[in-house]
């Protein structure tokens, strides 16, 4: 394992250049011939002075598996020859489940020699990671939640690979712990023996589980197992001779490397992890008092050392669970303000920086100890592991894994990867390591349905910056993925060859970087998502500093930190319209940079007014010396506010008089000569509009992630969803409790209302009203309707109509299997949802 001193040494490695740092090397093949390579500014790999833009696929090696036979070797050699005969010579080789360190060097050498003899250029996907299981606590208070038996008794939780489990009984109202203990580990999972406690209380379990190497969790145990794994790799490849066709290593820490999903809610408990975690905290915080303040610990002086802090286990996630830390060593509780605690942010930052440090260290070890070729890690879209990459030496590329039905979700994954690399201080190669319509075939159709589909998918990835294309798969042997095996599809292999020739004619390897055409937006502004623009450029997320502005019906704007100076980006989600900007006097000074905008044809200056046409795509405004507040913004928003106020008055709401006074005050404030003051008045006015809209809506709109009563796993970000967040539950054991979410609803007037639910397409769930099936015992299952949204991950379901009496009701969603739940709409006839926004209405 990497000790603390080694960790500090790794973090202090010298930087390798400036903001345009180079990534290069010289590979010496088995015959002693040298091959210089570098990564160009457009993210392509230049090898021996020529762009290397491969077009081929993944080649799973049947004989690279424990217990492989001579017949498997023969099968591999025949598959290589079929690919060669079809004109495909770009592949990357991958062992079957288990990883490269389980394969004998002689078996590796036979296939490498065959690839060399047939003239292939090839990479090696190690598909391996440290084999030491990761021990860690799952903080999933939504999933592991049950009613505590009123008279005491046993509560069971079916969980696999348990090491230990802590249980807590708490009052659901105050969230205060009434009792705690350690569960018994039994055959089916955990069993908590609970004593009698008065009242209806809830029992929450926090299991400590073993996550085996290769699990879908995505976090290999680098903290305990890195050194042995690295040494095993170096020893293995010291017995393998790589030839002139070798180009890169990929997946040296596994195929599922990630810090997304449930990986974020794991608190590792191994000794080496806690040692590094404590060391990180000692550098992150100057004093223990500052740590306690940031972590929301209410009784100061409780934490005695940074080693002590590393022993703390949070009992909440996203304000779900208990506002306590549990000290694993002392068995004591420490109260905290969970909503104000930075614990989870600190842990995620540490895991990201630490894991990326091991990624870099392993890349350096492979390049120095085996072969100095690019080392590529796999990305499934945005990943904190590839955000704010340092300039220091390390890995050399990010491989896109892009699955999805349709061009948009595939391009989205590529766009996310490209956007992160665009902010990196050194050049990184960007190949595609996998692409298909889904990770596991949903059809018996072999490979790609049509050449047009294949070309469209690769074109979309190319447009988002990809400079290398490996599909699933040139040769696949895993039973669940055999339908994607192209080695038996000569026609489709011919399509790949045709695409490669097309790229050669285009000269894509030497093309300018897509960054020259990209337009960036703030990543944290979730309503936006990567997409192509009409001029061929892309709208991509960025981690640069920004300011965001809402002009109501007149549109939106943000400013980004740009090399050329202040730039405003203006757009209108509702469609094209004109806005007018009063040009500030500072813009006319002799030393002022001239105003300009792109696209150029969408603006004109008349005297002291700039008229712009904005729409769903961003317009870039350069050198505007103050906030570009549209002259129409406040009057149009006020007109909407006054219309709503009339509706509020007609309904005789108590707020009518107060809201009328507030609107008059805002009119006076807006007349200020200072743009920032006028914008603040507009912001306050928009809040009044939102308040009155909520009062007058003829329907009930519920954001699923805002509900308090749920046993789903977690709330997670989802670009394109309503509120950009969803309530998520993964698959559970067959005998586990269903994931449920309960939504209280107040009905003012009895009437027929139809329920719509936005959730994962194909999910299985039932809806209940006040404990009874919604629509009656014979009601059909919810029915999908309309188009999908959020990159195809969400769809609206029609759950039927019922007559709901006046009063408070409870709507409950019970999910059978994996599901993401976005929003609920309870509406009278004539109002139908579409996409992530509440339906428009007239007051």
């Amino acid at each position: 394992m990497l000790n603390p001193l080694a960790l500090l040494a790794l973090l202090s490695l010298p930087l390798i250049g400036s903001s345009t740092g180079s990534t290069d090397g010289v590979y010496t093949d088995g015959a002693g011939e040298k091959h210089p390579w570098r990564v160009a500014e457009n993210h392509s790999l230049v090898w021996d002075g020529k762009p290397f833009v491969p077009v081929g696929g993944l080649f799973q090696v049947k004989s690279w598996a424990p217990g492989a036979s001579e017949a498997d070797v023969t099968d591999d050699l025949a598959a290589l020859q079929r690919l060669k005969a079809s004109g495909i010579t770009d592949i990357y080789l991958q062992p079957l489940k288990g990883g490269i360190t389980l394969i004998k060097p002689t078996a590796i050498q036979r296939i490498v020699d065959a690839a060399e003899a047939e003239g292939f250029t090839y990479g090696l996907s190690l598909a391996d990671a440290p084999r030491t299981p990761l021990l860690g606590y799952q903080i999933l208070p939504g999933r592991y939640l049950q009613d505590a038996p009123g008279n005491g008794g046993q509560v069971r939780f079916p969980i696999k690979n348990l090491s230990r489990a802590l249980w807590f009984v708490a009052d659901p109202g105050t969230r205060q712990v009434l009792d705690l203990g350690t569960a018994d580990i039994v055959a089916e999972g955990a069993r908590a023996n609970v004593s009698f406690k008065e009242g209806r209380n809830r029992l929450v379990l926090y299991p400590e589980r073993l996550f085996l190497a290769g699990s879908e969790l995505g976090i290999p145990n680098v903290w305990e197992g890195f050194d042995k794994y690295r040494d095993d790799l170096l020893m293995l490849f010291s017995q393998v001779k790589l030839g002139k066709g070798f180009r890169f290593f990929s997946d040296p820490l596994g195929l599922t490397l990630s810090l997304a999903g449930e990986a974020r809610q794991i608190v590792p408990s191994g000794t080496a992890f806690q040692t590094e975690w404590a060391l990180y905290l000692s550098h992150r915080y100057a004093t223990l008092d500052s740590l306690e303040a940031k972590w929301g610990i209410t009784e100061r002086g409780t934490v005695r050392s940074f080693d002590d802090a590393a022993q703390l286990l949070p009992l909440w996630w996203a304000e779900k669970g208990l506002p306590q830390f549990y000290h694993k060593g002392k068995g004591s509780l420490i109260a905290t303000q969970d909503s104000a605690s930075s614990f989870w942010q600190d842990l995620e930052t540490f895991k990201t920086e630490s894991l990326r440090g091991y990624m870099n260290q392993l890349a350096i070890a492979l390049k120095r100890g085996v072969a100095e070729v690019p080392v590529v890690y796999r990305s499934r879209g945005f990943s904190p592991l590839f955000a704010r990459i340092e300039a220091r030496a390390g890995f050399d590329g990010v491989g896109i894994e892009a699955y999805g039905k349709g061009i948009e979700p595939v391009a989205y994954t590529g766009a996310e990867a490209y956007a992160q690399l665009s902010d990196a201080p050194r050049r990184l190669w960007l190949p595609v390591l996998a692409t298909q319509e889904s990770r596991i075939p949903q059809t018996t159709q072999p490979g790609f349905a049509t050449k047009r589909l294949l070309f469209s998918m690769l074109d979309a990835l190319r447009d988002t910056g990809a400079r290398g294309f490996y599909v699933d798969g040139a040769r696949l042997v895993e039973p669940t993925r055999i339908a994607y095996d192209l080695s038996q599809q000569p026609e489709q292999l011919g399509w790949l060859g045709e695409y490669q020739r097309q790229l050669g004619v285009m000269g894509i390897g030497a093309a300018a970087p897509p960054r020259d055409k990209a337009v960036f937006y703030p990543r944290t502004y979730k309503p936006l998502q990567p997409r192509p623009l009409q001029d061929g450029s892309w709208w991509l997320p960025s981690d640069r500093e920004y300011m965001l502005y809402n002009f109501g019906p007149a549109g939106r704007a943000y400013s980004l930190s740009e090399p050329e100076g202040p730039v405003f980006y203006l757009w209108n989600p509702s469609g094209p319209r004109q806005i007018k900007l009063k040009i500030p006097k500072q813009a006319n000074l002799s030393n002022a940079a001239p105003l300009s905008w792109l696209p150029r044809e969408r603006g004109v200056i008349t005297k002291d007014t700039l008229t712009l046409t904005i729409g769903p795509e961003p317009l870039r405004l350069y050198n505007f010396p103050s906030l570009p507040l549209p002259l129409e913004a406040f009057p149009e928003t006020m007109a909407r506010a006054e219309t709503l106020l009339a509706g509020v008055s007609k309904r005789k709401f108590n707020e009518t008089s107060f809201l009328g006074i507030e609107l008059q005050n805002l009119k006076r404030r807006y007349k200020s000569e200072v743009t920032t003051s006028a914008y603040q008045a507009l912001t306050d006015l928009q809040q009044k509009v939102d308040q009155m809209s909520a009062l007058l809506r003829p329907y009930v709109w519920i954001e699923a992630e805002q509900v308090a009563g749920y046993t789903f796993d977690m709330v997670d970000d989802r670009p394109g969803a309503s509120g950009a967040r969803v309530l998520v539950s993964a698959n559970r054991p067959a005998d586990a409790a269903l994931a449920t979410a309960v939504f209280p609803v107040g009905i003012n007037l009895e009437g027929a209302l139809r329920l719509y639910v936005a959730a994962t397409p194909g999910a299985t769930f039932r809806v209940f009203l006040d404990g009874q099936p919604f629509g009656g015992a014979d009601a059909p299952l919810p029915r999908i309707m309309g188009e999908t949204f959020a990159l195809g991950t969400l769809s609206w379901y029609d759950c039927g109509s019922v007559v709901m009496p006046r009063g408070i009701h409870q709507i409950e969603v019970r999910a059978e299997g994996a599901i993401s739940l976005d929003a609920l709409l309870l509406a009278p006839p004539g109002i139908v949802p579409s996409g992530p926004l509440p339906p428009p209405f007239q007051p």
Side-chain angles (χ1 to χ4, degrees):
M1 73 185 176
L2 187 64
N3 63 37
L5 292 178
L7 174 65
L8 290 179
L10 179 62
L11 295 177
S12 62
L13 280 172
L15 302 183
I16 59 163
S18 63
S19 60
T20 56
S22 61
T23 301
D24 51 31
V26 178
Y27 165 57
T28 304
D29 65 28
E33 185 178 346
K34 295 186 180 299
H35 305 272
W37 60 268
R38 63 182 176 85
V39 177
E41 188 181 0
N42 69 347
H43 301 300
S44 65
L45 178 62
V46 178
W47 189 275
D48 283 340
K50 299 178 181 178
F52 173 65
V53 185
V55 178
L58 164 64
F59 187 102
Q60 289 186 328
V61 184
K62 198 172 183 180
S63 60
W64 287 2
S69 66
E70 189 64 28
D72 295 327
V73 177
T74 302
D75 197 24
D76 288 336
L77 298 178
L80 284 173
Q81 291 170 356
R82 286 196 301 273
L83 292 183
K84 177 68 177 299
S86 298
I88 299 301
T89 57
D90 296 325
I91 58 175
Y92 71 97
L93 306 168
Q94 184 182 88
L96 299 186
K97 291 181 179 179
I100 198 74
T101 56
L102 295 181
I103 312 306
K104 294 180 180 179
T106 52
I108 297 174
Q109 191 68 63
R110 289 183 72 175
I111 302 302
V112 166
D113 288 347
E116 290 285 347
E118 296 289 349
F120 282 91
T121 60
Y122 58 95
L124 289 178
S125 169
L126 305 185
D128 213 335
R131 300 191 180 280
T132 306
L134 178 72
L135 185 65
Y137 281 92
Q138 274 188 310
I139 312 302
L140 290 167
R143 178 186 297 182
Y144 302 118
L145 175 68
Q146 295 191 40
D147 288 330
N151 296 322
Q154 294 182 350
V155 181
R156 297 174 181 267
F157 293 86
I159 307 171
K160 295 181 179 179
N161 300 326
L162 267 177
S163 171
R164 189 183 185 211
L166 306 170
W167 59 262
F168 299 82
V169 173
D171 183 310
T174 64
R175 299 171 71 202
Q176 293 303 303
V177 176
L178 305 175
D179 198 4
L180 73 159
T182 301
D184 297 328
I185 307 302
V186 294
E188 70 271 24
R191 183 177 63 200
N193 296 295
V194 182
S195 59
F196 168 76
K197 288 289 182 296
E198 188 173 345
R200 184 181 178 184
N201 300 308
R202 302 285 268 171
L203 185 145
V204 192
L205 191 84
Y206 298 87
E208 184 184 42
R209 298 181 61 192
L210 280 170
F211 297 93
L212 304 178
S215 75
E216 282 297 316
L217 181 66
I219 309 179
N221 191 354
V222 290
W223 298 281
E224 266 78 22
F226 180 82
D227 282 0
K228 182 180 185 306
Y229 172 61
R230 177 203 58 212
D231 294 347
D232 287 346
L233 282 177
L234 297 181
M235 178 61 71
L236 172 67
F237 281 102
S238 70
Q239 304 170 70
V240 176
K241 185 177 180 181
L242 300 167
K244 66 178 182 179
F246 184 45
R247 291 294 183 271
F248 64 92
F249 288 111
S250 71
D251 313 310
L253 283 175
L255 298 169
T256 61
L257 187 65
S258 172
L259 286 176
E262 290 185 18
R264 300 170 61 199
Q265 296 171 258
I266 298 296
V267 182
S269 47
T271 302
F273 176 89
Q274 291 191 169
T275 299
E276 290 189 26
W277 176 218
L279 181 65
Y280 170 83
L281 293 175
S282 70
H283 287 81
R284 169 75 176 83
Y285 293 103
T287 65
L288 289 170
D289 185 69
S290 61
L291 178 144
E292 289 183 324
K294 285 289 188 179
W295 283 14
I297 294 174
T298 53
E299 186 177 344
R300 300 297 172 81
T302 306
V303 180
R304 302 300 178 88
S305 68
F306 289 106
D307 288 333
D308 212 26
Q311 288 276 322
L312 297 185
L313 183 71
L315 302 183
W316 79 92
W317 167 267
E319 300 182 44
K320 183 74 174 177
L322 308 174
Q324 306 274 347
F325 282 110
Y326 177 78
H327 194 292
K328 292 180 290 184
K330 300 175 183 177
S332 58
L333 291 171
I334 300 175
T336 184
Q337 295 176 303
D338 56 335
S339 61
S341 176
S342 68
F343 172 88
W344 284 107
Q345 294 94 315
D346 285 348
L347 182 64
E348 182 166 347
T349 300
F350 166 69
K351 286 194 290 191
T352 299
E353 293 181 2
S354 179
L355 187 50
R356 189 160 55 205
Y358 285 105
M359 291 164 63
N360 284 329
Q361 188 186 17
L362 185 56
I364 293 170
L366 287 169
K367 287 186 285 187
R368 292 178 179 174
V370 181
E372 191 175 2
V373 295
V375 177
V376 179
Y377 287 96
R378 189 174 297 245
S379 172
R380 296 179 177 179
F382 172 79
S383 169
L385 293 172
F386 305 119
R388 300 182 176 89
I389 296 173
E390 306 92 341
R392 70 182 79 251
F395 60 87
D396 311 283
V398 176
I400 300 169
E401 186 179 280
Y403 294 103
K405 289 191 177 297
I407 306 308
E408 186 181 9
V410 171
Y412 168 79
T413 306
E416 281 282 11
Y418 173 77
Q420 290 193 278
L421 266 60
S422 293
D423 284 337
R426 57 190 173 93
R427 300 167 185 170
L428 296 171
W429 185 31
L430 187 60
V432 176
L433 290 184
T435 186
Q436 253 291 356
E437 285 193 288
S438 62
R439 191 176 307 279
I440 301 298
Q442 307 295 317
T443 175
T444 57
Q445 167 70 39
F448 294 89
T450 64
K451 181 174 75 171
R452 180 178 179 182
L453 173 64
L454 171 61
F455 277 36
S456 296
M457 295 175 77
L458 297 185
D459 281 345
L461 291 164
R462 174 175 56 81
D463 286 345
T464 56
R467 292 298 181 263
F469 305 91
Y470 295 100
V471 304
D472 272 356
R475 196 287 188 99
L476 295 175
V477 294
E478 286 183 23
T480 57
R481 305 176 71 200
I482 199 70
Y484 288 162
D485 176 25
L486 301 187
S487 66
Q488 303 286 350
Q489 305 293 324
E491 180 184 25
Q492 297 198 33
L493 293 175
W495 297 346
L496 283 176
E498 183 179 340
Y499 192 80
Q500 184 177 50
R501 291 189 294 274
Q502 178 178 299
L503 292 188
V505 172
M506 295 170 60
I508 190 64
R515 178 170 58 250
D516 291 350
K517 298 194 300 179
V519 180
F520 292 93
Y521 65 83
R523 180 180 302 283
T524 54
Y525 185 58
K526 298 301 183 181
L528 293 179
Q529 58 193 45
R531 64 185 181 94
L533 302 176
Q534 290 183 358
D535 64 358
S537 62
W538 275 79
W539 209 359
L540 300 175
S542 173
D543 293 313
R544 303 172 201 171
E545 294 182 1
Y546 70 95
M547 291 293 292
L548 186 67
Y549 307 97
N550 182 354
F551 300 143
R556 306 286 187 272
Y558 59 86
S559 61
L560 279 182
S561 175
E562 300 279 13
E564 60 265 41
V567 180
F568 288 99
Y569 297 77
L570 297 90
W571 83 103
N572 186 48
S574 301
R577 63 157 298 163
Q578 279 193 346
I579 59 171
K580 296 183 183 297
L581 305 177
K582 184 178 180 180
I583 300 175
K585 296 178 181 178
Q586 305 96 295
N588 296 317
L589 298 178
S590 59
N591 61 344
L595 292 180
S596 62
W597 53 90
L598 291 174
R600 187 67 197 170
E601 66 275 8
R602 285 162 54 184
V604 62
I605 293 178
T606 305
K607 295 183 179 180
D608 64 347
T609 301
L610 171 59
T611 302
L612 296 173
T613 299
I614 61 173
E617 297 192 354
L619 179 143
R620 286 157 283 173
L621 178 60
Y622 299 91
N623 304 318
F624 204 84
S626 63
L627 175 65
L629 179 61
L631 297 175
E632 302 87 351
F634 191 88
E636 290 180 2
T637 307
M638 179 57 74
R640 175 66 175 171
E642 289 174 339
T643 301
L644 292 170
L645 181 62
V648 170
S649 177
K650 185 177 180 180
R651 298 276 294 274
K652 297 182 179 180
F653 284 110
N654 294 332
E655 296 89 344
T656 302
S657 297
F658 176 76
L659 287 168
I661 294 171
E662 284 291 298
L663 295 189
Q664 293 304 315
N665 289 337
L666 288 172
K667 284 182 180 179
R668 287 190 289 270
R669 284 175 52 194
Y670 177 72
K671 293 180 181 180
S672 167
E673 292 295 324
V674 182
T675 304
T676 52
S677 300
Y679 178 68
Q680 185 58 55
L682 174 64
T683 300
D684 294 344
L685 178 60
Q686 186 62 52
Q687 292 176 353
K688 302 303 177 188
V689 168
D690 294 342
Q691 179 184 349
M692 290 187 284
S693 295
L695 288 172
L696 294 174
R697 275 179 180 169
Y699 55 78
V700 178
W701 178 274
I702 302 171
E703 294 288 352
E705 70 275 7
Q706 294 178 2
V707 68
Y710 68 81
T711 62
F712 278 59
D713 299 342
M714 60 179 172
V715 173
D716 204 4
D717 293 339
R718 180 69 56 83
S722 174
R725 308 186 84 193
V726 291
L727 196 59
V728 177
S729 180
N731 279 313
R732 300 186 178 186
D735 52 349
L738 296 179
T740 63
V742 179
F743 305 91
V745 177
I747 301 299
N748 294 325
L749 187 66
E750 180 175 321
L753 296 172
R754 185 169 290 274
L755 177 66
Y756 303 93
V757 173
T760 307
T764 303
F765 65 93
R766 296 302 300 260
V767 182
F768 293 79
L769 175 62
D770 298 329
Q772 300 299 316
F774 193 92
D778 297 328
L781 287 171
R783 176 179 57 85
I784 281 185
M785 49 171 283
E787 298 291 330
T788 61
F789 60 102
L791 296 166
T793 65
L794 295 171
S795 181
W796 281 102
Y797 289 79
D798 183 349
C799 302
S801 177
V802 299
V803 175
M804 295 184 66
R806 180 178 178 181
I808 302 298
H809 302 272
Q810 284 192 339
I811 295 176
E812 181 181 3
V813 176
R814 299 179 188 174
E816 301 174 6
I819 188 174
S820 294
L821 195 61
D822 183 30
L824 289 79
L825 173 66
L826 198 60
I831 297 179
V832 179
S834 177
L837 299 178
F841 69 94
Q842 293 298 324

